[in-house]
């Protein structure tokens, strides 16, 4: 009888162990199964409210919705320590993988590239990550995690860490290569009008019409200018000038374009220093 009981106990224990391993894969396996099924909300093809950079020294927990209390994944930045890309950055996730397609993602210079750039009198270009902000709330933002599929995620924030607010009155200077802040957990959030005003330049498609004023008379140009600075923004309209980029003898322009229309961006922003 004791042998029967012992055999039954061993069989029961084996079933439990087998179930734990094969059905759930242990605690890690269970997490992976749950994470692999995460469905992220999709948003319509919209411009959104602005752009946001994060300090890459801190991992970014990602939530499926603003009501979730447990992150479905965490985005981490890791420096490559060996090989031809040594010194570059890499963005690691447990679940997203190639679903991570933000507004801009730059891995920065390798050690070899940095040496070459410095020899040319340039700088070592640092990695950076920019998300399009779909919606900003008091303590969280909704970002486009994938610009192609329009999948979104939520990142929790503390508005006190927004270093854009350190220059409320002027056009804040920001460059991911030259971040000067004592806040080690900073982020930089700017609305689209702020981004347009800060941009090193904006470029226009050759067929984008230019007007003398918002909803005014279209300007006919003998040669379509393409690069401009933004002087001011009024709603959907941006006042532009070609002064920094015109060739000698070209007409100086001080006119208006519709910078976005029906969920489509009409202009391209070169945000930082002309080396993007």
């Amino acid at each position: 009888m004791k042998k029967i009981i012992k055999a039954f106990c061993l069989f029961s224990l084996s079933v439990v162990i087998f179930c734990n391993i094969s059905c759930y894969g242990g605690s890690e396996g269970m997490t992976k199964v749950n994470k692999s099924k995460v469905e992220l909300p999709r948003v319509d093809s919209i411009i959104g409210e602005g752009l946001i950079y994060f300090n890459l020294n801190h991992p970014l927990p990602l939530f499926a919705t603003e009501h979730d209390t447990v992150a479905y994944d965490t985005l981490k930045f890791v420096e490559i320590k060996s090989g031809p890309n040594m010194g570059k950055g890499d963005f690691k996730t447990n679940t997203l993988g190639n679903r991570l397609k933000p507004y801009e993602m730059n891995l920065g210079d390798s050690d070899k590239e940095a040496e070459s750039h410095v020899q040319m009198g340039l700088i070592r270009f640092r990695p950076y990550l920019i998300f399009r902000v779909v919606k900003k709330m008091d303590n969280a933002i909704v970002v486009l995690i994938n610009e192609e599929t329009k999948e979104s995620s939520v990142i929790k924030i503390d508005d006190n860490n927004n270093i854009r607010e350190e220059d409320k009155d002027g056009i804040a200077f920001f460059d991911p290569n030259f971040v000067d802040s004592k806040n080690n957990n900073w982020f930089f959030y700017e609305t689209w009008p702020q981004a347009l005003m800060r941009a090193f330049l904006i470029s226009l498609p050759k067929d984008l019409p230019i007007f003398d004023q918002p909803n005014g008379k279209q300007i006919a140009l003998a040669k379509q200018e393409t690069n401009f600075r933004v002087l001011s923004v009024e709603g959907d309209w941006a006042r532009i000038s070609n002064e920094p980029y015109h060739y000698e003898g070209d007409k100086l322009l001080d006119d208006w374009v519709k910078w976005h229309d029906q969920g489509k961006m009409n202009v391209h922003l070169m945000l930082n220093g002309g080396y993007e």
Side-chain angles (χ1 to χ4, degrees), residues 11-24:
F11 172 77
S12 300
L13 181 61
S14 299
V15 170
V16 172
I17 292 173
F18 173 79
C19 187
N20 279 340
I21 294 175
S22 62
C23 297
Y24 300 105

Side-chain angles (χ1 to χ4, degrees), residues 163-205:
I163 60 174
R164 175 64 176 76
E165 295 303 308
E166 294 175 4
D167 187 6
K168 295 182 179 180
D169 298 326
I171 301 174
F173 171 81
F174 178 78
D175 188 311
N177 294 290
F178 305 103
V179 177
D180 182 18
S181 178
K182 295 179 181 178
N183 187 339
N184 190 42
N185 198 24
W186 61 265
F187 64 87
F188 184 92
Y189 166 72
E190 57 188 345
T191 63
W192 278 119
Q194 289 170 340
L196 285 161
M197 292 285 291
R198 183 180 70 83
F200 179 77
L201 64 82
I202 67 166
S203 57
L204 312 182

